[in-house]
Amino acid sequence: MSGGVVSGGGPVLLLADDRPTSFSRYAVRALPGRLALLRFAAVRREMCDKYLRETAHLPAFWVREGVPLEAEVRRYEEWSAAALPAPPDRFCNPSEPRQAVAQRFAELAGLPHLTRQQVRWVRDKHAMKEKFRELGLRTARHARIACAADVERFAARCGWPLVLKPVDSSACVDTFRLTGPPCLAQVRFGAREWMVEEHLGGTEWEVCGIVHDGQVLDAWPSAMPCRPLDIVDGAMNANISVATAEGPPVDLRALLQRIVTGMGIDHGYLHMEFFLIDGEVFAGEIGVRLAGCEITANHGHAYGFDVFGATLDVYLGRRPALRYGRRRCAGDLLLPLPRSGVVRRVTPREELLRIPGVVDAVLTVGPGDPVAARRASHNASGYVHVTGATIGEVERRMREVLDAFVIEVAPAAHLTGPVAAGHRTETRET
């Protein structure tokens, strides 16, 4: 636990905080005196020291590792009563990996939360797809599996290629496209639960939305120049919010509303992936949490409004006024992190900002920093926000950024521990 003061009028938010994000930094600025942090000691090594210093003034409750959650909630209630002028009455968990434990903590603490069934629908990808089908949505054919033989039996029915993933995966970690039986040699089946699904063609899209009082207030589509499974193999890592007529010919708000109603979601931020095949929608996956990378921020740039403020409103129990400004396309391009080691040189932020269309640039590493590359869709050395009139213009400008961007990483075979495992640079889920 750490010190700080919660004061002032209005709701007090308990924010589950397991890594630095643009949203968490916004909440720190927007809720002076009305924000407390919920942190988990089990992932302390994943939080960069700089961010911990930035937020040291805030009240933070650390959930200990290996202690029953019921006992930790009792300790939290004692801490809250003793350390805070007003206890939190609202809750937000932006993290995909911490969804189950964070929502269970909120339930035990009497805060607004997702039920255990809702968590299962949005975290267990097999249960999620079964729920989609129950709601009348098309999905890829899929099955739970436990070994290579199960995969081959599924392939005998559905054919290759296939997609193999843990049922609780995020950021494409341990997710593979399999083109035939030899690919199974790279998979380590074990304690995790696995599933397999047919590989879908067509165009893959994303859509985000916010929910207040069970109603989807709006839906914002994103184009993906490259699919996530291509990204982890080296393709351009980008998402483009489309606030123009180039969006998919789908009633996205109605799509999200069907899921929100079917799952009984009261409020929050939604992030969904879907496929458009010959005019038909196939539901991919959905999360009830903020989108990863800088996708949420893209919507603010594309629609000309305070997207983080609107998101914060729904978690505080308020209906936001969605007043949009200029409409355009805007995307986040994650800058490459090609290898593990020590950064020797990286293109300065000022140079990136001079490239046409670049409206913001953030470098999360600098010369002298130890870094660890990972096979994950959030693997990056920073990001830029790029705007343009069309999807094509944004993508061309992103490729100009990649042509100009240079990062040199020298080998560092001596690196061990959290840095070598990839935990000390800032990471963003997708």
Side-chain angles (χ1 to χ4, degrees), residues 22-53:
S22 296
F23 178 71
S24 60
R25 287 181 165 124
Y26 181 98
V28 170
R29 297 191 301 270
L31 295 175
R34 294 190 290 119
L35 179 69
L37 304 178
L38 178 68
R39 288 172 168 166
F40 299 90
V43 295
R44 165 62 180 85
R45 63 188 180 277
E46 299 183 22
M47 303 186 73
C48 68
D49 293 335
K50 177 183 177 183
Y51 178 65
L52 290 174
R53 290 193 298 271

Side-chain angles (χ1 to χ4, degrees), residues 390-413:
T390 65
I391 297 171
E393 183 175 54
V394 172
E395 186 173 344
R396 286 193 298 274
R397 289 173 168 179
M398 287 177 167
R399 296 195 183 279
E400 290 178 20
V401 172
L402 291 177
D403 289 342
F405 181 73
V406 175
I407 182 169
E408 294 179 1
V409 181

Side-chain angles (χ1 to χ4, degrees), residues 8 13 27 74 81 108 118 138 151 165 173 203 260 284 296 307 319 355 362 378 390 396 426:
L13 182 69
R74 288 194 294 271
L108 292 169
Q118 289 169 331
R138 297 176 181 86
V151 177
K165 64 182 75 170
V173 175
T203 303
V260 163
T296 303
V307 65
R319 183 187 179 101
I355 298 172
V362 174
H378 54 50
T390 65
R396 286 193 298 274
E426 296 186 14

Side-chain angles (χ1 to χ4, degrees), residues 144-305:
R144 292 187 187 271
I145 57 94
C147 61
D150 290 343
V151 177
E152 295 198 51
R153 281 190 287 269
F154 183 87
R157 300 193 306 273
C158 297
W160 305 91
L162 302 172
V163 177
L164 178 72
K165 64 182 75 170
V167 297
D168 62 349
S169 66
S170 61
C172 286
V173 175
D174 293 332
T175 299
F176 305 96
R177 179 174 47 222
L178 308 178
T179 57
C183 297
L184 290 166
Q186 66 184 311
V187 183
R188 298 177 182 176
F189 295 99
R192 300 185 76 177
E193 292 187 53
W194 292 81
M195 68 174 290
V196 65
E197 62 186 47
E198 64 178 326
H199 182 269
L200 294 178
T203 303
E204 188 170 358
W205 290 86
E206 299 168 315
V207 60
C208 296
I210 52 174
V211 181
H212 172 74
D213 196 22
Q215 179 185 359
V216 178
L217 302 183
D218 207 351
W220 311 304
S222 294
M224 290 186 285
C226 302
R227 288 190 173 197
L229 280 176
D230 295 324
I231 288 169
V232 295
D233 290 329
M236 183 170 74
N237 194 346
N239 308 272
I240 302 173
S241 179
V242 185
T244 66
E246 287 187 280
V250 177
D251 188 339
L252 295 176
R253 191 189 302 189
L255 173 64
L256 292 181
Q257 188 65 60
R258 179 185 294 195
I259 297 170
V260 163
T261 301
M263 292 186 177
I265 305 297
D266 175 72
H267 68 281
Y269 187 106
L270 308 177
H271 174 67
M272 183 179 181
E273 294 145 13
F274 67 94
F275 299 84
L276 198 57
I277 305 173
D278 297 328
E280 301 288 351
V281 171
F282 284 71
E285 299 175 359
I286 193 166
V288 182
R289 43 83 179 168
L290 271 79
C293 301
E294 292 297 315
I295 296 170
T296 303
N298 292 343
H299 301 315
H301 288 294
Y303 292 82
F305 81 116

